[in-house]
Amino acid sequence: MRPLIVQKYGGSSLATSDKIKNVAYRLMKEKEKDVDLVVVLSAMGKTTDTLISLAQEISPRPCKRELDMLLSTGEQVSVSLLSMAIKELGGQAISLNAMQANILTDSFHSESQILDIDTQRIKTHLQEGKIVIITGYQGLNKEKDITTLGRGGSDLSAVALAVALKAQCCKILTDVSGVYTADPRIVSDARCLKKITYEEMLELASMGAKVLHARSVELAQRYDLEVYVKSSFDEQNAGTLIEKDVKKMEEITITGVALNKNEAKVTLVGVPDRPGMAAEVFTCLAEANINIDIIIQNVSVEGFTDISFTVKEEDLHVTILVSKEAVRDLEAKEVIFKKNVSKLTLVGVGMRRHSGIAAKMFRCLADKNINIEMISTSEIKISCVIDQDKGDLAVQALHKAFELEKS
Ligand code: ASP
Ligand code: MG
């Protein structure tokens, strides 16, 4: 049996017809190595954004079923064009949308989950020697309505297909060379990592280093699937391998530092310190679909406490409205907030076995006169909320202090 590889190309690698031809050429070369290839595509360039804007010209809050119907067209354009390009080069290929590839999801339009993939048809085409090109980001619910998996969801499609097809590995081809120790636009000597564990990648994926969709990393971890992130423009570069190989990695304490900009901090002041208060506040916020990140509750003084949390800045307006209502209902004192904060996160599985990392991080920030507003930790990460203006400086300082430029 030929080895099977799933490759995923992002929108920037498919932005023009020339880029699509280039991908076709690369796939032909790859196919010469006698492998089976399943290729998952995003929509060309910024197509999905454009389609969303178009929908909003018609309706400020378009019906989600119809929006999914619309957005799914972007990926159909890219898969059909790539298939044509391969045929033009004399190769064999076939494009499939989610219906044809039998990707079954639940019915949560715009954020649906993959339930099952019936791989029969894909396997038949592979046996025929074809490169099978499949639309990312979309699925089909049991009513046969088109669903989408959430923005950036093609990564998830690729990993799910690789798992279902028992592929040797999944390669995510993108416009960066791999996963870096820090954003190379902020740190000039940031290093492209050869390897990173699933856990670390998950922290980084949800921390603003938006290389991979977080759910795709979770899925790969669950099935122990090797995932490579590499450049679609630079053949030579091996990219970053995401896997579980902890043993070799334990030597390394810190893997990377990430910065999440555009956050806001909200504090409910003078909340009565009784059972059920936090439940009340966060239930209201959850019902308003607000995603909460770091939460801190102070020690209570004379029966009152303060609760602070962070949200995305775009959610701040609704958060304040909901919080003000909660404050009224709970007879708390007031809501205060601060815009323009960033979350700075240091990640590394080696933290488990080393002490003094937090102290070193806080000292480094203090030396740069950077104030820490909130702290949150897990076994493998430390996050600090700081002033947005100091974000880049903080990343540079930590990168240097922990010598992340050295391998
Ligand atoms: N085209 C979709 C998006 O822009 C899916 C993806 O690119 O992964 O979000
Ligand atoms: Mg993407």
Side-chain angles (χ1 to χ4, degrees), residues 27 76 130 149 151 323 343 376 403:
L27 289 168
Q76 293 206 41
K130 290 179 181 152
L149 310 178
R151 294 303 307 272
S323 301
K343 186 173 68 175
S376 146
E403 301 184 338

Side-chain angles (χ1 to χ4, degrees), residues 247-360:
K247 233 204 255 135
K248 272 184 234 144
M249 295 194 184
E250 261 176 355
E251 313 305 317
I252 307 161
T253 320
I254 303 301
T255 305
V257 47
L259 185 68
N260 239 22
K261 293 182 179 163
N262 305 322
E263 304 252 319
K265 184 175 99 171
V266 178
T267 304
L268 309 192
V269 183
V271 181
D273 194 9
R274 290 196 305 268
M277 291 291 123
E280 182 66 32
V281 172
F282 291 106
T283 304
C284 295
L285 289 164
E287 280 165 2
N289 260 325
I290 306 285
N291 238 317
I292 310 289
D293 192 6
I294 300 181
I295 303 175
I296 288 178
Q297 178 175 324
N298 265 344
V299 358
S300 76
V301 181
E302 287 165 9
F304 292 94
T305 181
D306 299 340
I307 301 177
S308 298
F309 53 89
T310 59
V311 292
K312 290 214 183 74
E313 205 163 74
E314 64 199 46
D315 289 338
L316 182 62
H317 182 68
V318 180
T319 305
I320 292 170
L321 290 180
V322 174
S323 301
K324 280 194 172 154
E325 245 171 70
V327 158
R328 213 183 38 228
D329 293 348
L330 304 175
E331 296 179 334
K333 209 168 133 220
E334 59 174 334
V335 181
I336 53 177
F337 62 90
K338 187 178 172 195
K339 283 189 196 174
N340 303 327
V341 295
S342 289
K343 186 173 68 175
L344 177 72
T345 305
L346 202 60
V347 177
V349 283
M351 272 186 207
R352 287 204 179 102
R353 308 188 326 147
H354 287 81
S355 53
I357 304 293
K360 185 168 170 181

Side-chain angles (χ1 to χ4, degrees), residues 42-43 48 75 137 151-154:
S42 293
T48 310
E75 273 70 12
Y137 178 54
R151 294 303 307 272
S154 307

